[in-house]
Amino acid sequence: MASHSDTLVVFFGATAGANGGKLGSDEREIILLVWQIVDLHEKKVGKLQRRLVKPDSLELTDQSKEETGLSVDELNKAEPLDKVLQQFQQSVSAELKALGRSSYTLCVDGPLIIRQALHPEASRKNLVLPECFYSFVDVRKEFHKCCPNAGQVQDLTLPYILEYVCIPELPLSEQVMGLKEVRCMVQLCLHILAEPYNHKFSCFEAVKYKLESGACSKTEPMDSETVIRARGLPWQSSDQDIARFFKGSNCSDLSSNLSLCISRGGVALCLNTQGRRNGEALVRFINQEHRDLALERHKHHMGSRYIEVYKATGEEFLKIAGGTSNEVAQFLSKENQVIIRMRGLPFTASPQDVLTFLGADSPATDASDGLLFVKYPDGRPTGDAFVLFSCEEYALNALKKHKQILGKRYIELFRSTAAEVQQVLNRYMSTPLISTLPSSSMVPMPVLATPPYLATGSTRDCVRLRGLPYTAAIEDILEFMGEHTIDIKPHGVHMVLNQQGRPSGDAFIQMRSADRAFMVAQKCHKKMMKDRYVEVFQCSTEEMSFVLMGGTLNRSGLSPPPCKLPCLAPPAYAAFPSPAMLSEAALYQPPLLATPRTPQPPLSPHPTLAYYPPQHHPAQLYMNMNMNYTAYYPSPPVSPSTMSYFASPPGSVALAAQQPHAQGHIASPMMPQHSALVRMQGLPYNAGVKDILSFFQGYQYSPEDYSSMVQMSHGQTRSLIQPKEWLCL
């Protein structure tokens, strides 16, 4: 209501759970509302009104029963919240008319009943609250203006205030919850209206509903005490959904354009390394008080999901939402716009193509000026674009075109935010194609049974193929390479799979020299394979092996495998064999074996990790499909315990046991092999140790040397086995 209201409605509420300073913190429903009118001019009071509210869940905590004195039977006879709010409006309107007054403002003892209880419950039940509940005065702050020496506002309580101004305590017969609090607030209001205070209520606080978007600059000063991190958000949630989750935060200035006292553009949805939302968001409030209120929403629900709320820093917010692009700032400068992200656009799509796709029922703001195409640093399109719409109706019409066809591609459309625009632009514009690898101390890692250990080096003698058809096989790649096939190293084709074990559209090829790799990149770049053009980039063996070990290499840079690398390379493995000592055969992964294999003699006196018989027929060099060309890719990142490589006991790095061989061959010097750590996937959930031992029946191990270190996790098991013969799994 307006700041010139001539009437106060002293208002109080209680819930079926926590009350007092924790009101609303447990998401329990309101069960009691009490109010009374105070005429500020005549200093008169109206009739004291008390209404019980029937909650959807008729369950009261013991604390609530004791404090309110209410029972389930009483509440079962009451009206629901929407009906009680209608009664509130009718009662207040009738009394105002009798007093000859036209406007009123709610007066509460602290903002919790409005922000933390009433507005959140109305949002959950899809109730439209009357306008009066979007403005209120806090009797504690009004008293603090009269008596600033009484203490800090947050430390003030109603009993302390009454004692401070010498207002006598109510008799025991009137100390019923709700009635007592309202009568005390009414007495306090009348007291500060009279001499010597002559107070005028002026500290009006407002609750805003709509969130306004805006750009955030990396140079903008940021208070770390105003930012929170929300975790566990539904993937499809928008910034407006997050604002509604925090609905009820106050704003001390009615003229302010800030919704919920979230700063302009203060909701930043976080993206993962693939550019998709990861269920987290950073939210920036205008001050610490509002941030602290937001923290009280920890584990409150958005739909069926509970949301975790934690403190965050301003630096984290700027890293996500901050930008320096003038183009983005100009794009986001238009106020009250709905932002939609389009993904999967053809690279040849023009602004007119996009506008035609959206159609007349969803026109973009200012036509082509309402479009922002995301491009790489070299100006090539990424297939992403952002569109501004002037109203929610146009945005909803655009979202109906989700997965419709433009050209030969289906287009995905999502709600977006100003912070997401900044993130996507920053991701594509600020990072080179091939970023610098981490320091060498983080790269070596023990790879035990399953993956091949690829030699690393900075020589750029490899090429990366990106954009392969998902049906592409080794034959297609060799045909694509044409005359350059003869320059491929033996078994040098490595297909990359995604986390679901399907082709990712990428492949790495090891060439005989850097010059040959450069020539392939020049001649084959954007050459067609089936109905797609394939990009070809020159890269190093180091970059290739890092990706094949589970990392990702894209225009956002090189990301490590989804685990903590330092944990995989403890100091005990500093003596890991250098790449120069690895044989060529050790670079390739063998087909899985159903029976144990006797270690073969090495090709050189240097230590080797494995040996696989060469393919003698030239035609089989690249075309033998029995060879497993599939690059190793780790399990989905559930937890570090589910990864496919582990730090093993010292001395278990080598893949072949040191032992003399037949025919007079002398074994090459090897690191001592005391144990080996192997991983089993797909075990039945009821499998036990005996089942595992039975599975390994036929392999040689000594029962006295066997120590079980079985850890069950999502159908995966790790076992520590002391072998007499290497087990090739």
Side-chain angles (χ1 to χ4, degrees):
M1 303 298 289
S3 59
H4 58 271
S5 297
D6 47 18
T7 309
L8 291 180
V9 176
V10 177
F11 190 78
F12 175 85
T15 71
N19 290 294
K22 288 294 183 179
L23 182 70
S25 62
D26 54 1
E27 291 187 286
R28 301 303 292 265
E29 296 173 89
I30 294 173
I31 59 173
L32 174 66
L33 293 178
V34 184
W35 66 89
Q36 188 172 19
I37 287 180
V38 177
D39 188 332
L40 296 178
H41 293 293
E42 300 294 333
K43 300 180 178 54
K44 295 180 180 178
V45 298
K47 182 180 178 181
L48 184 63
Q49 304 281 353
R50 181 175 182 264
R51 296 288 188 277
L52 300 185
V53 182
K54 181 180 180 180
D56 292 343
S57 176
L58 289 170
E59 295 181 3
L60 279 71
T61 64
D62 293 338
Q63 180 185 2
S64 178
K65 290 179 181 179
E66 181 180 350
E67 291 175 343
T68 62
L70 299 176
S71 65
V72 172
D73 293 337
E74 291 178 287
L75 295 178
N76 196 32
K77 300 175 183 178
E79 297 285 351
L81 180 62
D82 56 338
K83 299 293 185 183
V84 174
L85 292 178
Q86 290 179 9
Q87 295 174 12
F88 168 82
Q89 278 191 291
Q90 294 169 0
S91 170
V92 171
S93 297
E95 289 197 61
L96 285 179
K97 186 176 181 180
L99 291 172
R101 304 302 178 192
S102 58
S103 62
Y104 65 95
T105 301
L106 296 181
C107 177
V108 294
D109 178 22
L112 297 182
I113 180 59
I114 301 295
R115 294 193 214 118
Q116 301 290 70
L118 189 58
H119 276 277
E121 183 171 341
S123 294
R124 291 194 298 269
K125 296 181 177 180
N126 293 320
L127 302 181
V128 179
L129 290 175
E131 185 184 355
C132 62
F133 291 104
Y134 284 82
S135 175
F136 61 92
V137 293
D138 186 345
V139 71
R140 301 185 193 185
K141 293 182 179 179
E142 298 294 340
F143 170 76
H144 187 264
K145 290 177 64 177
C146 296
C147 306
N149 297 326
Q152 298 294 324
V153 175
Q154 59 268 25
D155 298 329
L156 297 177
T157 63
L158 195 55
Y160 171 79
I161 293 174
L162 296 177
E163 182 181 353
Y164 188 88
V165 295
C166 301
I167 295 178
E169 217 176 295
L170 293 174
L172 290 176
S173 59
E174 298 183 15
Q175 292 193 6
V176 178
M177 188 175 193
L179 301 179
K180 171 187 174 183
E181 284 79 7
V182 169
R183 285 194 176 110
C184 289
M185 283 191 282
V186 168
Q187 288 186 16
L188 178 60
C189 291
L190 294 174
H191 187 81
I192 60 179
L193 285 171
E195 297 287 347
Y197 302 107
N198 293 322
H199 178 68
K200 302 221 178 264
F201 288 83
S202 59
C203 190
F204 293 87
E205 302 181 12
V207 175
K208 297 290 184 179
Y209 183 80
K210 187 176 180 181
L211 176 69
E212 294 188 2
S213 62
C216 176
S217 172
K218 284 188 178 294
T219 60
E220 185 176 338
M222 185 73 60
D223 184 0
S224 288
E225 298 300 322
T226 62
V227 183
I228 62 95
R229 179 184 296 273
R231 182 179 298 165
L233 297 166
W235 308 115
Q236 69 274 20
S237 60
S238 66
D239 54 347
Q240 294 290 345
D241 296 325
I242 296 170
R244 281 192 287 271
F245 174 77
F246 289 109
K247 181 181 176 182
S249 295
N250 76 314
C251 187
S252 58
D253 183 1
L254 271 173
S255 64
S256 173
N257 293 323
L258 299 174
S259 64
L260 312 176
C261 278
I262 295 175
S263 298
R264 184 183 182 86
V267 177
L269 294 165
C270 301
L271 307 180
N272 60 18
T273 54
Q274 284 75 42
R276 301 177 184 272
R277 296 174 185 173
N278 63 5
E280 295 189 5
L282 294 171
V283 185
R284 177 190 176 197
F285 294 87
I286 63 167
N287 59 37
Q288 182 178 349
E289 178 187 0
H290 303 157
R291 190 281 308 269
D292 292 341
L293 285 171
L295 291 174
E296 292 295 325
R297 302 291 179 89
H298 181 59
K299 292 197 173 181
H300 280 206
H301 287 75
M302 179 184 289
S304 60
R305 298 176 65 95
Y306 73 82
I307 310 302
E308 299 175 353
V309 183
Y310 304 100
K311 291 182 180 179
T313 65
E315 183 180 355
E316 290 177 287
F317 186 86
L318 286 178
K319 184 178 180 181
I320 296 296
T324 57
S325 170
N326 292 330
E327 182 183 12
V328 176
Q330 183 177 0
F331 177 76
L332 296 175
S333 62
K334 303 177 179 65
E335 296 185 358
N336 301 322
Q337 300 292 308
V338 183
I339 305 174
I340 297 295
R341 180 182 179 183
M342 303 181 70
R343 191 167 62 196
L345 292 168
F347 294 146
T348 57
S350 66
Q352 188 58 45
D353 294 331
V354 175
L355 294 176
T356 303
F357 173 80
L358 293 172
D361 59 344
S362 51
T365 302
D366 299 333
S368 59
D369 290 339
L371 301 178
L372 178 65
F373 287 90
V374 183
K375 299 180 179 179
Y376 291 117
D378 57 7
R380 292 184 299 112
T382 65
D384 278 27
F386 292 92
V387 190
L388 294 178
F389 295 98
S390 58
C391 66
E392 187 71 22
E393 179 184 357
Y394 292 161
L396 290 175
N397 290 337
L399 290 172
K400 293 177 183 178
K401 297 176 173 62
H402 179 60
K403 290 197 174 182
Q404 291 188 12
I405 303 298
L406 174 58
K408 294 184 179 180
R409 300 178 65 98
Y410 72 84
I411 311 302
E412 297 175 293
L413 289 94
F414 309 94
R415 288 184 180 273
S416 188
T417 67
E420 186 172 7
V421 176
Q422 294 281 22
Q423 280 187 84
V424 174
L425 266 293
N426 292 344
R427 184 183 299 274
Y428 284 112
M429 295 298 294
S430 63
T431 309
L433 174 62
I434 305 294
S435 65
T436 304
L437 280 168
S439 60
S440 58
S441 63
M442 293 185 65
V443 176
M445 60 183 69
V447 183
L448 298 178
T450 316
Y453 188 79
L454 296 173
T456 60
S458 58
T459 304
R460 300 173 66 79
D461 58 354
C462 300
V463 291
R464 177 195 180 196
L465 275 59
R466 187 175 67 187
L468 294 169
Y470 293 134
T471 58
I474 301 294
E475 303 98 311
D476 301 311
I477 293 178
L478 297 180
E479 181 181 352
F480 174 83
M481 298 286 289
E483 61 183 8
H484 303 287
T485 301
I486 60 175
D487 298 319
I488 302 176
K489 288 184 179 181
H491 315 313
V493 180
H494 305 275
M495 304 287 286
V496 181
L497 304 183
N498 60 21
Q499 294 187 5
Q500 287 73 43
R502 299 173 182 172
S504 67
D506 280 22
F508 286 92
I509 300 178
Q510 294 176 278
M511 308 301 294
R512 292 190 181 277
S513 67
D515 293 339
R516 299 296 183 184
F518 175 79
M519 187 66 66
V520 172
Q522 292 294 315
K523 293 292 184 66
C524 298
H525 185 57
K526 292 197 173 181
K527 183 178 172 182
M528 298 299 294
M529 179 186 294
K530 298 184 179 180
D531 59 344
R532 298 182 62 130
Y533 73 83
V534 178
E535 297 174 294
V536 183
F537 305 102
Q538 187 180 7
C539 65
S540 68
T541 314
E542 192 174 29
E543 293 162 340
M544 179 193 71
S545 63
F546 202 69
V547 173
L548 297 184
M549 290 306 303
T552 56
L553 181 64
N554 49 40
R555 292 196 176 269
S556 300
L558 196 151
S559 302
C563 61
K564 299 179 181 179
L565 289 179
C567 296
L568 298 175
Y573 301 107
F576 195 80
S578 64
M581 301 174 67
L582 299 178
S583 69
E584 186 176 60
L587 300 181
Y588 315 108
Q589 184 175 359
L592 296 179
L593 301 180
T595 58
R597 170 160 53 182
T598 305
Q600 302 293 326
L603 296 178
S604 70
H606 299 293
T608 58
L609 297 186
Y611 171 78
Y612 308 110
Q615 303 290 337
H616 299 293
H617 195 283
Q620 294 179 348
L621 185 59
Y622 304 103
M623 304 301 295
N624 185 354
M625 298 311 294
N626 289 329
M627 172 63 70
N628 183 6
Y629 285 95
T630 303
Y632 166 75
Y633 203 95
S635 301
V638 179
S639 67
S641 64
T642 65
M643 306 313 298
S644 295
Y645 36 81
F646 310 96
S648 74
S652 64
V653 177
L655 295 186
Q658 180 180 0
Q659 55 179 312
H661 297 278
Q663 292 87 26
H665 290 291
I666 300 176
S668 58
M670 297 291 296
M671 297 175 65
Q673 174 85 26
H674 298 301
S675 62
L677 187 65
V678 297
R679 173 176 170 232
M680 303 170 66
Q681 284 184 287
L683 286 172
Y685 288 104
N686 58 353
V689 175
K690 291 183 179 180
D691 300 311
I692 296 174
L693 295 180
S694 177
F695 177 81
F696 283 109
Q697 185 176 6
Y699 292 93
Q700 297 182 24
Y701 63 89
S702 301
E704 63 273 9
D705 293 335
Y706 175 85
S707 63
S708 175
M709 192 181 72
V710 181
Q711 298 183 9
M712 307 293 294
S713 175
H714 302 284
Q716 301 182 15
T717 297
R718 293 177 290 176
S719 300
L720 183 61
I721 299 175
Q722 307 285 349
K724 288 187 174 180
E725 179 182 88
W726 174 255
L727 307 181
C728 186
L729 297 176

